[in-house]
Amino acid sequence: MKFCLLSMEPHHPDHGKLYTDEQNHTNIWAAIMGGTVYNGLLFDRGDYGLDYEYFNEFDLVMVALRQETIEVGLKVKQKSKTKVVVLLDAEVEHFTTHITRDLQAKMVAFLNMADAVAVLHEESLPFFQALTFRPVSLVGLPFPLKRVRRMCPPVQKREEIELGSIIQSSMVRNRDGLVNLAVLSEVGMTGVVDIRDPVETEYIQSIRKHLPIQQIRFRYNNLGWDHYITQANYSLLGLHLDNRYSWGRFPIDCAAVRMPCVAPPSLYTQKILFPRLCVPYYDIEGAVALVKKLVSDVNFYEEAVSYAQSQIELFSYEQCKMRLLNLIS
């Protein structure tokens, strides 16, 4: 099957070529399908020097849908004859709240023109099934499990908490970082923060002036995801109190390097991998209690890790690819 993914991931040298990069992000679909990737907006702008008839060369085009790619997806379906599957590459709130009414109408039109719709959270199934007569199913994101196991052998864990996303590189958009820091201030352990932008450091330092956080260790991530995952392997456990109903990349990162993760069940992978460590994102006392029990109770810790290991194959290349092929068949 000749496969192409249109996403919003930044430009990569392998765009338009055989894509082989195996990291925990949307573009991995091209890697496991033996296909290629283009940035949807750059394609529409003409940066690749191609028109939409070009997609006739492919058996399947996957459009990773966000507000920026709705019109791109419509053009693929209108101007080519290829089969198109929509991958809803954001939480439901993105599509219901954060895009204009005009774009919402275009999105519904696209969902009904596409050949199938793939979602990243089972709780969004009824909503999208109501919007389209096309097949809708949970497919998810493949995870490079075998590769991570080679990169990240068992190591001696440090008594540190790996924190999920703190803040994006915009001062106006915060992803529940303050909730993570509130828990950290109550447990008295060092937190590790993967930093991608100086504004994140400034934000955390300003909070630390007023919260009794023992220590924050900043990991400046200018070497990419491989460096992040090999370093995260040394953390004792993960914490990510995120209020979105989304796929949840962080819990599966944690499971892959054999550390428990405390997070809300609204993250789909958390619910599957760490059901005993689920806590509502606003439940500070509950999260603190789970962290302290993981640190003090070796059996509880090992049981959480063992259970996650028994479930993680659900997100393997083979399982995700099978779900996609079943959806489009």
Side-chain angles (χ1 to χ4, degrees), residues 158-220:
R158 306 184 185 114
E159 195 161 307
E160 295 178 339
I161 300 178
E162 188 81 21
L163 298 182
S165 178
I166 289 293
I167 188 172
Q168 296 180 335
S169 58
S170 168
M171 289 296 287
V172 298
R173 187 170 185 186
N174 191 340
R175 190 179 290 173
D176 296 305
L178 188 58
V179 189
N180 291 339
L181 294 177
V183 173
L184 193 64
S185 72
E186 294 289 320
V187 297
M189 287 176 62
T190 297
V192 185
V193 181
D194 200 51
I195 296 296
R196 291 173 174 82
D197 191 281
V199 72
E200 297 173 285
T201 307
E202 296 166 11
Y203 166 76
I204 295 167
Q205 296 290 28
S206 67
I207 298 297
R208 288 187 68 200
K209 295 176 183 177
H210 308 284
L211 282 181
I213 299 172
Q214 178 177 344
Q215 185 178 350
I216 291 282
R217 188 164 67 82
F218 297 111
R219 182 193 302 126
Y220 292 93

Side-chain angles (χ1 to χ4, degrees), residues 65 69-71 73-75 77-78 84 86 99 101-117 128 130-134:
L65 201 67
T69 55
I70 290 171
E71 296 193 58
L74 276 170
K75 291 177 183 178
K77 200 59 187 169
Q78 291 165 345
V84 174
V86 180
I99 65 176
R101 285 173 292 186
D102 177 60
L103 271 180
Q104 285 182 343
K106 290 179 179 179
M107 179 189 72
V108 174
F110 179 43
L111 294 177
N112 283 280
M113 291 173 65
D115 296 276
V117 178
F128 288 105
L131 295 181
T132 178
F133 64 90
R134 300 297 190 181

Side-chain angles (χ1 to χ4, degrees), residues 5-272:
L5 171 67
L6 287 171
S7 76
M8 281 302 297
E9 296 290 343
H11 179 72
H12 188 281
D14 286 345
H15 281 191
K17 304 174 185 176
L18 182 64
Y19 192 88
T20 59
D21 197 13
E22 296 180 77
Q23 299 186 10
N24 188 12
H25 57 50
T26 305
N27 284 7
I28 198 170
W29 269 112
I32 76 163
M33 297 297 290
T36 192
V37 177
Y38 290 99
N39 177 287
L41 280 187
L42 297 182
F43 189 98
D44 190 57
R45 200 170 67 185
D47 287 20
Y48 299 108
L50 300 166
D51 57 28
Y52 279 90
E53 288 75 13
Y54 166 71
F55 293 110
N56 286 323
E57 297 184 11
F58 296 95
D59 301 303
L60 180 65
V61 173
M62 175 183 282
V63 178
L65 201 67
R66 298 184 187 182
Q67 61 178 342
E68 300 89 347
T69 55
I70 290 171
E71 296 193 58
V72 174
L74 276 170
K75 291 177 183 178
V76 173
K77 200 59 187 169
Q78 291 165 345
K79 298 183 180 184
S80 74
K81 298 178 181 178
T82 187
K83 180 177 283 190
V84 174
V85 60
V86 180
L87 175 70
L88 293 158
D89 192 29
E91 65 275 14
V92 173
E93 186 182 13
H94 174 83
F95 300 107
T96 61
T97 307
H98 299 299
I99 65 176
T100 65
R101 285 173 292 186
D102 177 60
L103 271 180
Q104 285 182 343
K106 290 179 179 179
M107 179 189 72
V108 174
F110 179 43
L111 294 177
N112 283 280
M113 291 173 65
D115 296 276
V117 178
V119 304
L120 298 180
H121 201 298
E122 64 181 5
E123 295 198 20
S124 67
L125 283 170
F127 173 67
F128 288 105
Q129 286 169 340
L131 295 181
T132 178
F133 64 90
R134 300 297 190 181
V136 182
S137 184
L138 186 141
V139 172
L141 293 180
F143 185 83
L145 182 58
K146 293 178 182 177
R147 181 169 181 265
V148 170
R149 283 175 171 166
R150 291 195 302 268
M151 292 166 53
C152 303
V155 295
Q156 182 65 43
K157 302 287 190 180
R158 306 184 185 114
E159 195 161 307
E160 295 178 339
I161 300 178
E162 188 81 21
L163 298 182
S165 178
I166 289 293
I167 188 172
Q168 296 180 335
S169 58
S170 168
M171 289 296 287
V172 298
R173 187 170 185 186
N174 191 340
R175 190 179 290 173
D176 296 305
L178 188 58
V179 189
N180 291 339
L181 294 177
V183 173
L184 193 64
S185 72
E186 294 289 320
V187 297
M189 287 176 62
T190 297
V192 185
V193 181
D194 200 51
I195 296 296
R196 291 173 174 82
D197 191 281
V199 72
E200 297 173 285
T201 307
E202 296 166 11
Y203 166 76
I204 295 167
Q205 296 290 28
S206 67
I207 298 297
R208 288 187 68 200
K209 295 176 183 177
H210 308 284
L211 282 181
I213 299 172
Q214 178 177 344
Q215 185 178 350
I216 291 282
R217 188 164 67 82
F218 297 111
R219 182 193 302 126
Y220 292 93
N221 187 357
N222 57 358
L223 299 176
W225 187 80
D226 285 8
H227 178 70
Y228 150 72
I229 198 70
T230 55
Q231 294 305 304
N233 189 29
Y234 290 92
S235 295
L236 183 66
L237 60 97
L239 172 68
H240 187 25
L241 299 183
D242 189 327
N243 69 346
R244 301 169 304 153
Y245 278 82
S246 66
W247 174 247
R249 296 184 190 182
F250 186 71
I252 196 171
D253 285 347
C254 294
V257 296
R258 297 164 295 274
M259 68 176 175
C261 178
V262 175
S266 56
L267 303 179
Y268 181 76
T269 58
Q270 173 72 10
K271 181 169 62 173
I272 300 300

